[in-house]
Amino acid sequence: MGVAILTTGKALPALKVENQKLTELVETDSQWIIERTGIESRHIATSETGLSLAVAAAEEALGDMDKASIGLVLVATVSPDMLVPSMGALVKRTMGLENAVAYDINAACSGFIYGLWNAEALMKTHDIKRALVIGVERLSRITNWEDRGTCILFGDGAGCAVLELSDDKPGILSSFIKNYDDVSNSLTVDMQYLQTPFADDGPKEPYIHMNGTQVFRFAVGAIGEAMDAVLRNAGVRADEVKYYVPHQANMRIIQSAAQRMKQPLEKFQVNIQTTGNVSAASIPMALADLMKSGKIQSGDKVMLVGFGGGLTAGAILFEAV
Ligand code: UT7
């Protein structure tokens, strides 16, 4: 019995913000951003909510499939519209997914990989026919727009995959997730709560704090470990993988992943130029682009690989239907 990735969808906010626009906010220049990250523009939500983006991506992935067949909705996000209800519960209600259990997962930028890992296990053990795994972010709401070290990196968007439990399709061949203790707090987002009459928690800064160099070093090692692990577990060689879909955080990290695997960069799906880093949404959005491109045939092997705050990392190797 396998869990196949059937279809995908994605949604981006209408507003496209070019690098040049950011030079009005912080001391930076477009050429620096392109050379150090590969990012040229990103989409930023104005009228869109996380929910509207998640639902748009899920509707595209579902097409005319029967909504009653969805038994599970997992939403990976670090920027939910609300804490309660969860984004999963909101998606379920908005889309009328009457038979689904729904909740959220926070594994930062590895969230979509963690979502697939959870969904595969739950579908097999609980006989769930179909599941939606969504990655959605409105990182613009947790970005410090005065910090040039982070505000140039992030964007908003959503991506979704429909999974199906199958007797004859192998689907996911191998999966790997791992947590690493972030002992130096290299990537954090604090929570802003109301002050209670009983404790003095001090002021909090509810936006992304990052030591870019530390995260960069972690990323290069962790994605190498994750990619090696899924290949080894499945008994598949790197050259047998038709396409790699990496987390879109930095073009230089993607290049190092290609070098590590001794594979041409052309085998790596890249959309960071126009999306920036969209955390949990970045892998499913890039996967949706790959699926739409027509470059994937039934039976092709595809690897998803990501890393993120926590610290977290993981990879999924699957066979396309
Ligand atoms: O999704 C997971 C989370 N994040 C990541 O994966 C991010 C991983 N890290 C990175 O992508 C890179 O570390 C960054 C793109 C964030 C930074 O690139 P870097 O090559 O590591 O630059 P740096 O932080 O070492 O800074 C180099 C210089 C510094 O100036 P000095 O000290 O050499 O004079 C910075 O102040 O570049 C300066 N700088 C900038 N200059 C223009 C930093 N940010 C900017 C900026 N524009 N936006």
Side-chain angles (χ1 to χ4, degrees), residues 245-258:
V245 184
H247 173 43
Q248 311 282 312
N250 187 313
M251 195 56 210
R252 291 182 291 144
I253 296 175
I254 297 173
Q255 282 161 345
S256 88

Side-chain angles (χ1 to χ4, degrees), residues 19 22 28-42 148-154 210 216 247-255 270-277:
N19 288 347
L22 301 183
T28 188
D29 66 88
S30 181
Q31 208 46 41
W32 188 96
I33 300 171
I34 293 169
E35 278 166 17
R36 307 298 269 202
T37 71
I39 301 167
E40 294 168 18
S41 62
R42 71 286 292 141
R148 70 175 182 170
T150 53
C151 77
I152 53 137
L153 296 172
F154 300 109
M210 188 177 69
F216 195 103
H247 173 43
Q248 311 282 312
N250 187 313
M251 195 56 210
R252 291 182 291 144
I253 296 175
I254 297 173
Q255 282 161 345
V270 175
N271 63 355
I272 191 172
Q273 300 94 328
T274 54
T275 61
N277 178 347

Side-chain angles (χ1 to χ4, degrees), residues 12-262:
L12 285 167
L15 179 67
K16 183 178 171 185
V17 177
E18 309 275 356
N19 288 347
Q20 197 54 36
K21 179 74 188 164
L22 301 183
T23 64
E24 297 168 19
L25 305 178
V26 290
E27 199 184 323
T28 188
D29 66 88
S30 181
Q31 208 46 41
W32 188 96
I33 300 171
I34 293 169
E35 278 166 17
R36 307 298 269 202
T37 71
I39 301 167
E40 294 168 18
S41 62
R42 71 286 292 141
H43 289 256
I44 301 290
T46 52
S47 58
E48 300 88 354
T49 61
L51 178 62
S52 70
L53 292 168
V55 168
E59 292 283 4
E60 184 181 78
L62 260 181
D64 54 11
M65 262 179 257
D66 179 14
K67 287 184 173 166
S69 68
I70 304 297
L72 175 69
V73 178
L74 296 181
V75 179
T77 185
V78 294
S79 51
D81 290 346
M82 317 172 73
L83 282 178
V84 181
S86 68
M87 291 296 283
L90 293 172
V91 167
K92 171 187 155 30
R93 181 176 78 187
T94 307
M95 294 181 69
L97 304 172
E98 56 192 286
N99 296 320
V101 290
Y103 51 92
D104 294 357
I105 288 180
N106 176 347
C109 307
S110 312
F112 184 71
I113 302 280
Y114 276 56
L116 292 178
W117 190 90
N118 275 270
E120 184 199 9
L122 292 171
M123 291 171 82
K124 285 179 172 169
T125 50
H126 292 268
D127 198 28
I128 296 168
K129 171 87 179 133
R130 282 191 186 138
L132 295 183
V133 181
I134 298 170
V136 59
E137 302 289 6
R138 258 184 90 185
L139 297 180
S140 56
R141 293 213 301 179
I142 57 168
T143 294
N144 177 357
W145 289 101
E146 294 176 354
D147 174 15
R148 70 175 182 170
T150 53
C151 77
I152 53 137
L153 296 172
F154 300 109
D156 300 335
C160 174
V162 178
L163 309 191
E164 185 173 85
L165 194 61
S166 167
D167 287 331
D168 53 350
K169 300 177 194 108
I172 294 174
L173 301 172
S174 152
S175 59
F176 172 87
I177 59 172
K178 182 168 174 180
N179 278 59
Y180 307 75
D181 295 338
D182 188 5
V183 287
S184 58
N185 291 322
S186 59
L187 182 46
T188 59
V189 183
D190 219 325
M191 293 283 290
Q192 184 79 64
Y193 282 118
L194 296 176
Q195 202 66 48
T196 83
F198 306 105
D200 181 9
D201 292 331
K204 305 278 186 198
E205 292 174 333
Y207 44 71
I208 301 166
H209 271 280
M210 188 177 69
N211 181 323
T213 311
Q214 279 180 6
V215 176
F216 195 103
R217 276 199 211 108
F218 158 73
V220 170
I223 57 175
E225 183 180 1
M227 292 192 293
D228 286 345
V230 286
L231 289 177
R232 193 172 53 246
N233 293 345
V236 169
R237 292 190 317 271
D239 62 283
E240 293 176 303
V241 177
K242 181 87 182 280
Y243 270 94
Y244 292 83
V245 184
H247 173 43
Q248 311 282 312
N250 187 313
M251 195 56 210
R252 291 182 291 144
I253 296 175
I254 297 173
Q255 282 161 345
S256 88
Q259 279 163 10
R260 161 97 182 216
M261 289 291 107
K262 298 189 175 61

